[in-house]
Amino acid sequence: MSNQIKFLSVLGAALLLIIYAIAGITTIQPGYTGLRIKMLGTGQGVIDTISTGTTWIEPFTYDVKNYDSRSRQYPEEKQIPSSPKDGQPIEVDVSLEIGLDSSKIPKLHNAIGSDWYERVVLPALRAEMRNEPAQYLSDVAYTGVGRRAIQDHVQSNLRFRYADYGINITINMRALNFTNPDYVKTLEEKAKAAQKVIIEERNAD
């Protein structure tokens, strides 16, 4: 009986060691940045980054977080309500492409967390897209030049705000729609008249 107990004890210890060894195996895929995070004892928090490949991390003391640092598209945000300086209601559709600076991911994780997009970037995007068109009159916001200016200013503001966290944002404003169809006709007429003046001036030269 004692031999059987010893055998079972050794077998149990061996199984625990196998489980412990397997639990510590960590693989970081290309395009991702791994963080080794101390969960127990003193000095808790991000310890260092983990290079691409497979390694072993002590599983009881440390946790591993994977961050996708590749530049990738995020879901399009549609019909963000806003208005130009003269108060005409508009809706803006915008898409984002975001890449993370691997060297700044530890700071991003400690300051904001892995849900950084939902917590800070998306609300900031919506706020910027509500506020920036108010700097322009409708007949300017309606033009391609005006829309590009709104897009570029929002992009510049967001990049500046999150530069320290390595969040590199590229914005593509896909649509800026005036919701009042009668006012759209007025803007179209103004645009045609302005274009006619330009053509006449060129012909005069």
Side-chain angles (χ1 to χ4, degrees):
M1 179 66 73
S2 61
N3 289 336
Q4 185 177 8
I5 292 173
K6 288 181 180 179
F7 172 76
L8 291 175
S9 297
V10 171
L11 180 61
L15 288 174
L16 286 175
L17 283 173
I18 292 172
I19 293 171
Y20 175 74
I22 293 174
I25 297 174
T26 299
T27 299
I28 307 299
Q29 300 293 338
Y32 286 74
T33 298
L35 300 181
R36 184 165 64 103
I37 304 168
K38 191 173 184 182
M39 306 298 293
L40 301 174
T42 59
Q44 295 182 20
V46 176
I47 302 299
D48 54 21
T49 58
I50 307 170
S51 301
T52 300
T54 299
T55 188
W56 191 84
I57 303 294
E58 202 285 317
F60 292 153
T61 306
Y62 301 99
D63 188 20
V64 174
K65 289 287 186 182
N66 264 322
Y67 277 78
D68 188 346
S69 51
R70 299 171 298 178
S71 183
R72 59 192 181 97
Q73 290 282 341
Y74 284 74
E76 184 176 345
E77 286 295 307
K78 295 185 176 182
Q79 298 179 331
I80 301 173
S82 184
S83 61
K85 188 180 292 186
D86 45 11
Q88 288 294 325
I90 62 173
E91 293 177 340
V92 182
D93 297 347
V94 61
S95 63
L96 294 179
E97 182 176 318
I98 304 177
L100 299 180
D101 182 341
S102 297
S103 67
K104 295 181 179 179
I105 287 178
K107 183 175 182 178
L108 171 64
H109 180 83
N110 285 334
I112 302 174
S114 57
D115 57 347
W116 53 270
Y117 178 74
E118 293 80 6
R119 283 185 60 191
V120 298
V121 173
L122 187 54
L125 169 69
R126 291 169 176 166
E128 289 284 347
M129 278 300 175
R130 284 193 297 268
N131 296 332
E132 185 61 29
Q135 308 303 314
Y136 303 85
L137 292 171
S138 290
D139 53 352
V140 176
Y142 181 74
T143 66
V145 173
R147 296 181 187 200
R148 183 57 186 251
I150 293 170
Q151 172 184 289
D152 290 349
H153 283 145
V154 171
Q155 177 174 283
S156 178
N157 290 343
L158 292 178
R159 284 185 174 181
F160 178 79
R161 183 180 301 181
Y162 299 116
D164 287 346
Y165 304 107
I167 304 174
N168 186 29
I169 300 171
T170 300
I171 291 178
N172 181 8
M173 192 166 71
R174 297 186 177 276
L176 188 154
N177 297 316
F178 286 80
T179 58
N180 183 343
D182 292 333
Y183 193 73
V184 171
K185 291 179 181 179
T186 301
L187 291 174
E188 289 176 346
E189 290 171 358
K190 285 184 177 181
K192 289 178 181 178
Q195 185 65 28
K196 183 179 179 181
V197 169
I198 293 172
I199 293 173
E200 289 176 349
E201 289 177 349
R202 287 177 179 173
N203 291 337
D205 294 341

